[in-house]
Amino acid sequence: MTSSARAHEAAMRLAIDASQGVRGTTSPNPPVGAVVLDASGEIVGIGATNPVGGPHAEVVALAEAGERARGGTAVVTLEPCNHHGRTGPCAQALVDAGIAAVHYAVPDPHPMAAGGADTLRAAGVAVSVGPFTADVERGPLRAWLHRQRHGRPHVTWKFAATIDGRSAAADGTSQWITGPEARARVHADRARLDAIVVGTGTVIADDPWLTARLPDGSLASHQPLRVVVGTREIPSTAKILDDAAPTLVLRTHDIDEVLAALADQDDVLVEGGPRLAGAFLAAGRVDRIQAYLAPALLGAGSHAVEDAGVQTISEALRFRRESVETIGDDLLLNLIPEK
């Protein structure tokens, strides 16, 4: 591998890290990361998409690079946009800055924003796709790309269970099935989400906050929208109704109505309970499962899911393994539907 190729790979890794850092804060725009290298290959600018109305990743990176961008290279997680919206087209900003080459990981599927690569080439900029396309598609841009391709939010169902599949003991207690490392991971992930969905039953039984918290217990700077689904009344004193984060109460059991109400939320997490999880599964609206498995046995108690629409083994909802992680004493299985 040439030194130039190594520099571009290192820059793409930095761009991916930058995009991960703004997940949950950019919707409905994608959380893009960008890195600018000067003509000698030195990194002179790093940027990520700002909240709606603010500059895009390329513009942030170019501003940091200044005149050193001229004759340099831009490495971006997503094809630079080509349209006028709240901000100008990033492709033209790169041309105006004198960028000589652009490497991006994923083509832009949005019909209004696509075409940036053509604009760049027409201006004499060298353009290439890659590397790390799969890393970006499965990473920071997963939810946004899913909406562009399927017209609805990306839904992850997250649950914690013992190795015999129990999510709560016979007396209803469920804290804590997993260890402190897994719980810290859950809070770190919450701080990058757009919305968390629970049913009224979970609110009544567990009274959760559903906030994202830092290791010291304080609130993270970004909080996802808390969504409560169901027709039962919830107590006015419920923690989920406090002012720590916004809350949306949806008086429906229709899963597509729930997703339609989340029109500006790309990355949605379903946390509970078992009937709500079953409804999402039965409707075919689970795009990923995050299963935290604890090395513990209960022998009785409730399961993580109920009424998923399966009557016989031939109707089983099949998923395939995307990754397996060890977090403390627990396992995290990331699963996606079989195609």
Side-chain angles (χ1 to χ4, degrees):
M1 182 184 294
T2 66
S3 59
S4 176
R6 285 195 294 271
H8 294 160
E9 284 201 3
M12 184 61 79
R13 292 185 189 279
L14 285 175
I16 292 172
D17 288 345
S19 62
Q20 284 281 21
V22 296
R23 272 185 53 211
T25 67
T26 67
S27 293
N29 292 333
V32 176
V35 172
V36 173
L37 301 91
D38 67 12
S40 69
E42 181 181 348
I43 293 172
V44 292
I46 301 176
T49 305
N50 279 210
V52 173
H56 292 184
E58 298 93 324
V59 174
V60 176
L62 287 171
E64 185 176 307
E67 280 301 311
R68 297 185 68 182
R70 192 161 299 278
T73 299
V75 178
V76 193
T77 55
L78 182 68
E79 177 185 2
C81 67
N82 199 46
H83 77 298
H84 288 271
R86 294 182 177 92
T87 61
C90 293
Q92 190 59 51
L94 291 164
V95 171
D96 294 343
I99 287 290
V102 172
H103 304 280
Y104 63 87
V106 179
D108 193 331
H110 195 289
M112 291 179 61
D118 293 337
T119 294
L120 292 164
R121 291 190 183 99
V125 178
V127 179
S128 64
V129 182
F132 300 117
T133 298
D135 297 71
V136 173
E137 288 192 330
R138 293 190 305 181
L141 289 182
R142 178 199 292 262
W144 183 83
L145 288 170
H146 183 276
R147 179 182 284 284
Q148 306 313 308
R149 294 165 177 168
H150 302 284
R152 63 170 178 82
H154 179 277
V155 176
T156 298
W157 169 42
K158 189 273 290 182
F159 70 91
T162 58
I163 56 174
D164 58 339
R166 307 289 179 172
S167 61
D171 65 355
T173 56
S174 60
Q175 294 182 334
W176 297 99
I177 287 177
T178 54
E181 297 90 349
R183 298 198 297 274
R185 171 65 173 271
V186 167
H187 279 280
D189 286 344
R190 281 182 181 178
R192 292 189 286 263
L193 292 170
D194 291 318
I196 301 178
V197 184
V198 296
T200 53
T202 294
V203 174
I204 293 169
D206 298 338
D207 195 19
W209 262 303
L210 295 185
T211 51
R213 295 187 177 271
L214 302 175
D216 65 2
S218 62
L219 291 170
S221 59
H222 169 73
Q223 294 294 325
L225 174 69
R226 302 176 293 190
V227 183
V228 183
V229 174
T231 56
R232 284 194 283 177
E233 291 295 327
I234 58 177
S236 60
T237 56
K239 295 173 183 174
I240 204 169
L241 297 178
D242 67 13
D243 59 1
T247 300
L248 175 65
V249 179
L250 299 174
R251 303 291 188 183
T252 181
H253 289 126
D254 187 300
I255 299 306
D256 285 328
E257 283 186 19
V258 173
L259 295 178
L262 301 177
D264 292 331
Q265 318 298 322
D266 291 336
D267 202 351
V268 173
L269 182 73
V270 175
E271 278 216 358
R275 291 187 182 86
L276 183 66
F280 270 89
L281 287 162
R285 294 294 184 259
V286 172
D287 306 300
R288 177 175 57 175
I289 295 175
Q290 288 185 323
Y292 286 85
L293 299 182
L297 288 165
L298 288 173
S302 61
H303 293 282
V305 62
E306 296 178 10
D307 300 327
V310 176
Q311 301 300 320
T312 183
I313 191 66
S314 63
E315 299 174 349
L317 306 177
R318 301 287 182 177
F319 291 77
R320 62 182 176 87
R321 183 183 70 249
E322 187 175 70
S323 65
V324 180
E325 300 177 55
T326 300
I327 304 178
D329 290 329
D330 305 310
L331 287 181
L332 170 57
L333 304 182
N334 284 290
L335 311 170
I336 57 177
E338 285 190 348
K339 300 300 183 184

